[in-house]
Amino acid sequence: MAAIEKRQAEDGSTSYRVKIRLRGHEPVSATFDRLTDAKTWAAQTETDIKNNRYFGASKRHTVAEVFERYEAEAVPALKSARDVKLRLAYWRKAIGPLLLSDLNGGTIKKHRDALKATPKERGGGERSGADVNRAMAALSSALTYAVKELEWLEENPMLRVRKFTESSGRVRYLTEAELPELLKACRESKNEHLLLAVLLALSTGGRQSEIMLLKWKQIDLKAQTATLLDTKNGTMRTLPIVGDAFEMLKERAKVRKIDDDRLFPAGPQSKDKTKTAVADLRAPWEAALAAAKITDFHWHDLRHTCASYMAMSGVSQLEMAKLLGHKTLAMTMRYSHLSPQRTIELAGGLATRLGI
């Protein structure tokens, strides 16, 4: 039986969505600008379904067509657009040619497990459950788009696919012996940006993209702060600039280019000449790690190092969450085991207050 729902858009326009559900047949839907068109389509489609002549949108479109529309119409607005496209590339190759009507949970599970068994592209090694879950999230978002916007699917088949259990998170930070060795290697590096970038990451806990995309207009040398307007969590955040990082920034400010607002502009050897391009520190970073004889350490671990040392210095979890830009305390809780002395101090203060 057909049901017609009137919809009012924010711009004042009206549309009519038709939903047809007949026992023993797959539900179908479509949207029209005019009520008469909606009624005509509903009547004709009901007749075709009953006479086995109807082939719904899911039997006319492939998964690849969904990806094409999703990447053109929705992905460009996402902060993670580049990562989403990379993750959808796997699914395009695995299930792209399939008709949407042939896509089911079993097929997705098969390719989910195949991805888990595939070594990582960069650095090799076993692919984590979290990595696969991110790929599954990209697929789910595309299929949700097919349901809600394209109306090519009645239901997202990802609803029946289980995600992998993720670990509580990797916490690798520089030890008291490793820290000076890494800074020494960065100071000796021929790259003009490496030391400042590392110092800022260590002292602020900023993410790599937040640090590398900094512009001078975000820096307030008088207040010793850097303001992040467009963060991963979508909220403004202020980073304190202290110590050697602040001294280096003051010196750099004296010789910075008037026509270039980037803190870490790409060098003349860069193929990307756009003003959004920033310095590529991968090679000098890896060289510094090798010179310092530090293994199993990634750039993001500089953020973990900042958080770990804050915890060991007695900074509260609420303050850490605010400085690091965590929306919940769950992420910050990973560092709680690093501040046992602070816990003892707090308990001692409570005992004194209670007189016990």
Side-chain angles (χ1 to χ4, degrees):
M1 183 176 179
I4 300 179
E5 174 189 358
K6 183 178 179 180
R7 291 179 164 186
Q8 196 78 31
E10 292 182 358
D11 60 3
S13 62
T14 302
S15 61
Y16 300 87
R17 186 179 186 187
V18 185
K19 291 183 179 180
I20 301 177
R21 298 179 184 275
L22 293 176
R23 186 182 296 276
H25 296 276
E26 182 179 303
V28 294
S29 63
T31 302
F32 302 88
D33 293 330
R34 299 192 306 171
L35 180 60
T36 52
D37 292 339
K39 289 181 177 179
T40 300
W41 181 85
Q44 182 62 52
T45 303
E46 276 192 350
T47 300
D48 289 343
I49 291 175
K50 291 174 181 177
N51 293 322
N52 293 319
R53 293 197 303 265
Y54 179 77
F55 297 91
S58 65
K59 296 183 179 180
R60 300 195 305 271
H61 297 285
T62 65
V63 178
E65 289 179 86
V66 172
F67 292 164
E68 184 178 349
R69 290 285 298 274
Y70 179 61
E71 290 183 0
E73 299 167 9
V75 172
L78 301 177
K79 292 180 181 178
S80 56
R82 179 177 174 275
D83 291 334
V84 169
K85 287 184 178 181
L86 288 174
R87 287 163 181 153
L88 287 180
Y90 168 77
W91 296 109
R92 178 179 278 105
K93 183 178 180 180
I95 60 176
L98 289 179
L99 287 171
L100 289 172
S101 58
D102 295 332
L103 183 63
N104 53 51
T107 299
I108 295 173
K109 290 174 186 176
K110 180 181 74 173
H111 292 289
R112 172 202 65 187
D113 295 342
L115 178 61
K116 181 67 169 65
T118 304
K120 293 184 293 185
E121 290 85 357
R122 287 176 54 187
E126 184 180 354
R127 190 180 296 275
S128 68
D131 186 34
V132 178
N133 287 346
R134 300 296 88 75
M136 291 169 63
L139 174 61
S140 183
S141 295
L143 295 178
T144 296
Y145 190 79
V147 174
K148 295 184 176 180
E149 300 298 328
L150 303 178
E151 297 183 353
W152 291 353
L153 277 174
E154 185 67 24
E155 182 183 73
N156 187 342
M158 285 293 295
L159 296 175
R160 297 182 176 84
V161 180
R162 179 185 62 81
K163 292 183 178 180
F164 287 106
T165 301
E166 297 186 22
S167 65
S168 57
R170 178 181 187 273
V171 179
R172 166 72 164 97
Y173 61 92
L174 293 168
T175 65
E176 291 184 1
E178 290 175 326
L179 180 56
E181 291 301 317
L182 177 61
L183 292 179
K184 178 176 179 291
C186 290
R187 287 191 176 92
E188 295 174 352
S189 172
K190 294 180 180 179
N191 186 280
E192 61 178 320
H193 300 306
L194 181 62
L195 178 59
L196 177 57
V198 169
L199 287 172
L200 284 171
L202 281 171
S203 60
T204 67
R207 298 177 177 88
Q208 184 175 18
S209 60
E210 294 171 342
I211 298 296
M212 297 307 298
L213 292 174
L214 276 174
K215 296 185 177 181
W216 282 106
K217 64 183 178 183
Q218 297 171 254
I219 307 295
D220 186 338
L221 291 176
K222 184 175 292 187
Q224 291 190 224
T225 59
T227 302
L228 304 178
L229 301 175
D230 188 20
T231 66
K232 179 180 178 181
N233 292 331
T235 56
M236 188 175 72
R237 191 164 98 253
T238 300
L239 303 179
I241 304 176
V242 296
D244 290 347
F246 178 61
E247 296 303 322
M248 286 193 69
L249 268 183
K250 286 197 299 182
E251 292 302 312
R252 181 167 290 209
K254 297 176 183 178
V255 296
R256 73 183 184 93
K257 295 181 180 179
I258 302 300
D259 61 342
D260 194 336
D261 198 36
R262 296 170 297 175
L263 205 62
F264 300 106
Q269 74 282 1
S270 173
K271 295 180 181 179
D272 190 345
K273 302 302 180 182
T274 66
K275 282 298 179 70
T276 56
V278 295
D280 183 359
L281 299 183
R282 183 179 302 173
W285 165 250
E286 292 177 352
L289 289 175
K293 296 182 172 56
I294 296 174
T295 59
D296 186 33
F297 195 83
H298 310 300
W299 185 280
H300 192 74
D301 295 328
L302 294 172
R303 179 170 163 84
H304 290 314
T305 299
C306 176
S308 300
Y309 277 71
M310 279 196 288
M312 289 184 282
S313 299
V315 178
S316 72
Q317 291 180 10
L318 186 60
E319 291 170 323
M320 285 174 59
K322 184 177 180 181
L323 287 168
L324 296 172
H326 290 160
K327 276 196 169 183
T328 67
L329 290 178
M331 295 291 289
T332 316
M333 284 289 289
R334 291 185 292 174
Y335 309 100
S336 60
H337 69 285
L338 296 171
S339 55
Q341 186 59 42
R342 178 60 174 167
T343 302
I344 294 171
E345 291 174 3
L346 292 173
L350 175 61
T352 300
R353 188 71 179 267
L354 292 172
I356 56 176

